[in-house]
């Protein structure tokens, strides 16, 4: 993707030039033709031809300021809000300079309001086109078009942190080809394949068109890091190094600066203290609203289950919550009575990875149960768990005790927060994901939690439920 960064930048500059002039022309129309907000006296009327040199000068000046401020620098993971803020400050800096110059020489000739209108329209136009471009590029990158092929060297905690960020944000533009590690105990993680030891790097670089090598080795392996850098540079691949920061988890690192000197410290977990209170308030309010809205559909589903097959309407099951605490989770019953006792006989049909047990066409499922599973309506009673504080609306999948017993050490970090009715795993593929990928998405969620992320996941859950992609 970096190969095309210069071309994309030139296209963006051309689009910005046209949009800045279009915004200035529209500002002129609003000011002189619509005469907003006050009537323009005939004596103060200025033809647009008088403003063309100003519009062109403003365009060139703003493009220069955008370049200086790094607006055109490609930064992975930069949000559209960050881009909008950069455009806002750079645009009004340029306009203030232009207004000062022109009103110093000709204070009575030009309208002051036209510059305010132009500034607002320029920010709106340029931000809007960037949102569209991001959506188009993000869609292409999810399909593997215009992405950088990368190798990760090191499959430890930091290597997995890179993997889960790439998995959660496909629009970053990375395609991880696999990872290398000298630990013989390391295995493939989800879809991220172990390609061998670090000695295999020269061969992999020569056999594959690798754009970037990401090194996540500990600092005591600096001799090996230098050799890896030399191999990558000879093969024409870029090198990025992620410091291990004395083996601290990246989710606990806070970086500050004093006079340009970086200070590294330990920060609180993303969902703790005040953040935990905010999340709880959101859960209660939204769960109550959903409970009231879905009260009638819930009653109808309960009646259908009761009439369609013998047994209780609600299925109760022990699950593991925050901090490893057990709780009773409630779901609509989707299987015949005694289905748990039949599980041992069906283990050979398991289609899930890791400690999970799932069968696409489970013979224990009732006809109504299959429909409930496909639409995830069987999880509606879990709103009661949310109101009781045992679950959250958004969070990791609530695991079974026998699943937790098979967890690797890094898997257990998903128990740091309350499990959720929905989660990043559900809107990113649901049952199509491997267990390791599900855990990586859960850890990404924990490390990057915000109220906006919860709202985004809740909104994304709606189309995921409607399409029933990966649900069984």
């Amino acid at each position: 993707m970096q190969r095309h960064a210069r071309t994309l930048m030139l296209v963006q500059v051309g689009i910005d030039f046209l949009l800045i002039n279009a915004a200035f022309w529209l500002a002129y129309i609003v000011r002189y033709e619509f005469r907003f907000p006050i009537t323009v006296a005939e004596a103060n009327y200025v033809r647009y031809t008088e403003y063309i040199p100003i519009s062109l000068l403003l365009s060139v000046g703003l493009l220069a300021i955008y370049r200086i401020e790094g607006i055109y620098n490609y930064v992975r993971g930069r949000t559209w809000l960050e881009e909008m803020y950069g455009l806002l400050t750079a645009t009004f800096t340029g306009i203030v300079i232009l207004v000062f110059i022109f009103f110093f020489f000709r204070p009575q000739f030009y309208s002051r309001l036209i510059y305010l209108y132009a500034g607002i329209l320029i920010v709106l136009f340029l931000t809007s086109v960037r949102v569209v471009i991001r959506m188009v590029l993000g869609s292409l990158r999810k399909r593997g078009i215009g992405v950088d092929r990368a190798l990760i060297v090191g499959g430890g905690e930091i290597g997995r942190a890179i993997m889960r960020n790439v998995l959660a944000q496909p629009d970053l533009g990375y395609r991880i080809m696999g990872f290398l590690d000298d630990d013989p105990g390391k295995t493939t993680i989800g879809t991220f394949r172990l390609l061998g030891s670090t000695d295999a790097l020269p061969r992999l670089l020569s056999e594959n068109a690798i754009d970037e090598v990401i090194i996540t080795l500990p600092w005591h392996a600096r001799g090996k890091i230098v050799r890896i850098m030399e191999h990558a540079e000879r093969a024409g691949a870029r090198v990025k190094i992620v410091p291990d920061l004395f083996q601290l988890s990246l989710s606990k690192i806070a970086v500050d600066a004093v006079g340009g000197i970086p200070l590294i410290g330990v920060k609180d977990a993303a969902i703790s203290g005040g953040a935990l209170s905010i999340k709880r308030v959101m859960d209660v309010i939204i769960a109550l609203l959903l409970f009231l809205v879905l009260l009638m559909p819930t009653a109808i589903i309960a009646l259908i289950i009761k009439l369609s097959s013998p047994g209780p309407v609600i299925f109760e099951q022990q699950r593991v919550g925050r901090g490893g605490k057990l709780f009773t989770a409630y779901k609509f019953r989707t299987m015949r009575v005694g289905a748990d006792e039949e599980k041992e006989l069906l283990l050979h049909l398991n289609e899930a990875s890791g400690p999970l047990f799932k069968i696409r066409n489970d013979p224990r499922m009732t006809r109504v149960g299959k429909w409930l599973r496909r639409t995830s309506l069987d999880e509606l009673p879990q709103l009661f768990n949310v109101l009781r504080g045992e679950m959250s609306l958004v969070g990791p999948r609530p695991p079974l005790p026998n699943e937790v017993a098979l967890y690797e050490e890094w898997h257990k970090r998903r128990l740091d927060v309350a499990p959720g009715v929905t989660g990043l795993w559900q809107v990113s593929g649901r049952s199509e994901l491997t267990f390791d990928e599900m855990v990586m998405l859960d850890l990404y969620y924990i490390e990057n939690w915000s109220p906006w992320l919860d709202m985004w996941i809740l909104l994304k859950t709606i189309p995921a439920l409607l399409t029933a992609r990966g649900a069984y």
Side-chain angles (χ1 to χ4, degrees):
M1 185 169 55
Q2 293 280 2
R3 298 188 298 268
H4 309 297
R6 183 173 178 80
T7 302
L8 287 173
M9 185 192 75
L10 293 175
V11 171
Q12 187 72 73
V13 168
I15 293 173
D16 288 351
F17 181 84
L18 295 175
L19 289 176
I20 291 170
N21 282 277
F24 199 94
W25 173 79
L26 186 56
Y28 172 86
I29 295 297
V30 172
R31 182 68 186 99
Y32 286 101
E33 301 300 331
F34 295 162
R35 301 187 178 187
F36 179 82
I38 57 176
T39 301
V40 179
E42 289 296 329
N44 294 329
Y45 186 86
V46 181
R47 291 177 300 174
Y48 184 68
T49 52
E50 298 286 345
Y51 277 109
I52 290 177
I54 298 176
S55 179
L56 294 174
L57 182 61
L58 177 64
S59 301
V60 174
L62 287 180
L63 293 178
I65 292 174
Y66 295 160
R67 187 74 178 91
I68 293 169
E69 293 294 323
I71 300 296
Y72 295 119
N73 294 344
Y74 174 70
V75 179
R76 292 185 194 270
R78 182 163 60 183
T79 66
W80 70 270
L81 283 174
E82 291 171 329
E83 285 195 76
M84 183 176 180
Y85 177 76
L87 284 169
L88 184 67
T89 56
T91 298
F92 281 97
T93 298
I95 286 178
V96 167
I97 294 172
L98 187 68
V99 169
F100 175 78
I101 292 173
F102 278 97
F103 279 90
F104 181 79
F105 292 106
R106 303 187 71 178
Q108 303 301 324
F109 188 72
Y110 299 107
S111 167
R112 294 173 177 84
L113 283 174
I114 193 172
Y115 295 100
L116 175 62
Y117 297 158
I120 295 172
L121 290 170
I122 287 169
V123 173
L124 290 176
F125 282 13
L126 268 59
T127 300
S128 298
V129 79
R130 277 163 170 74
V131 169
V132 173
I133 291 174
R134 288 169 68 92
M135 291 173 63
V136 172
L137 291 179
S139 178
L140 292 174
R141 288 165 187 164
K142 287 178 182 178
R143 292 170 171 79
I145 301 172
V147 298
D148 281 340
R149 296 159 61 91
L151 274 177
I152 295 177
V153 180
E157 171 58 28
I158 300 172
R160 291 195 299 269
I162 298 294
M163 295 176 200
R164 59 180 172 259
N165 275 269
V166 171
L167 182 64
Q169 303 177 83
D171 56 337
L172 287 176
Y174 276 123
R175 180 185 175 191
I176 305 298
M177 308 304 295
F179 69 98
L180 305 175
D181 200 287
D182 290 333
D183 183 353
K186 284 288 190 301
T187 58
T188 291
I189 303 172
T191 56
F192 300 99
R193 294 181 300 136
L194 174 63
L195 301 177
S197 68
T198 55
D199 293 334
L201 180 64
R203 174 179 59 81
L204 291 170
L205 289 172
S206 64
E207 294 177 355
N208 301 275
I210 301 299
D211 300 299
E212 192 163 303
V213 175
I214 303 173
I215 303 174
T216 67
L217 298 176
W219 281 121
H220 63 73
R222 53 185 175 273
K224 187 181 297 184
I225 292 173
V226 171
R227 289 196 299 273
I228 291 170
M229 291 176 64
E230 291 173 349
H231 287 309
E233 289 169 356
R234 279 198 297 268
R238 296 183 306 276
V239 178
K240 299 288 176 64
I241 301 176
V242 185
D244 66 349
L245 299 173
F246 312 107
Q247 302 299 321
L248 288 172
S249 169
L250 293 186
S251 63
K252 298 180 180 179
I253 295 300
V255 180
D256 204 346
V258 175
I261 302 172
L263 303 178
I264 299 172
V266 180
K267 66 181 180 181
D268 294 332
I271 314 180
S272 62
L276 195 61
S277 300
I278 293 171
K279 185 172 175 63
R280 179 61 185 151
V281 170
M282 288 177 60
D283 282 342
V284 172
I285 293 174
I286 298 175
L288 281 173
L289 290 174
L290 289 174
F291 181 79
L292 293 174
V293 171
L294 300 172
L295 185 59
M296 185 58 69
T298 301
I300 294 172
I301 292 171
L303 181 61
I304 293 173
I305 295 173
K306 191 66 178 176
L307 295 175
S308 62
S309 63
V313 170
I314 299 296
F315 175 68
E316 301 179 9
Q317 191 175 47
Q318 287 286 295
R319 296 275 178 157
V320 181
R322 185 183 182 204
K325 184 179 179 180
L326 294 176
F327 71 98
T328 301
Y330 302 101
K331 299 177 71 173
F332 279 129
R333 182 175 57 84
T334 58
M335 295 185 179
R336 58 177 176 254
V337 176
D340 275 350
E341 286 72 26
E342 301 176 39
K343 182 177 176 180
E344 291 292 330
L345 302 175
L346 301 173
L347 289 177
H348 65 286
L349 299 176
N350 185 25
E351 299 176 34
S353 62
L356 299 182
F357 177 79
K358 280 184 175 290
I359 305 173
R360 191 174 300 274
N361 295 306
D362 198 316
R364 301 170 298 168
M365 202 92 68
T366 64
R367 285 189 300 171
V368 174
K370 289 181 181 179
W371 173 71
L372 291 174
R373 285 284 186 93
R374 290 287 294 173
T375 58
S376 293
L377 290 174
D378 61 316
E379 297 176 359
L380 284 179
Q382 289 181 352
L383 290 175
F384 185 60
N385 290 116
V386 174
L387 293 174
R388 289 175 56 170
E390 297 161 335
M391 292 181 64
S392 176
L393 285 173
V394 182
R397 171 187 171 275
L400 293 164
N402 64 331
E403 293 174 359
V404 175
L406 299 175
Y407 277 8
E408 295 180 29
E409 197 60 36
W410 69 278
H411 293 156
K412 295 177 182 178
R413 284 189 50 213
R414 71 200 303 256
L415 302 177
D416 289 346
V417 299
V421 180
T422 185
L424 191 56
W425 48 272
Q426 188 176 39
V427 301
S428 302
R430 302 170 80 181
S431 297
E432 294 176 351
L433 297 171
T434 65
F435 176 71
D436 283 342
E437 289 174 318
M438 186 184 295
V439 174
M440 284 192 283
L441 287 173
D442 287 337
L443 298 187
Y444 175 88
Y445 169 77
I446 294 170
E447 294 168 355
N448 296 276
W449 179 86
S450 72
W452 319 117
L453 181 58
D454 268 8
M455 294 304 299
W456 180 83
I457 291 173
L458 288 172
L459 291 173
K460 289 280 286 185
T461 299
I462 297 172
L465 296 180
L466 293 176
T467 58
R469 180 173 65 91
Y472 58 91

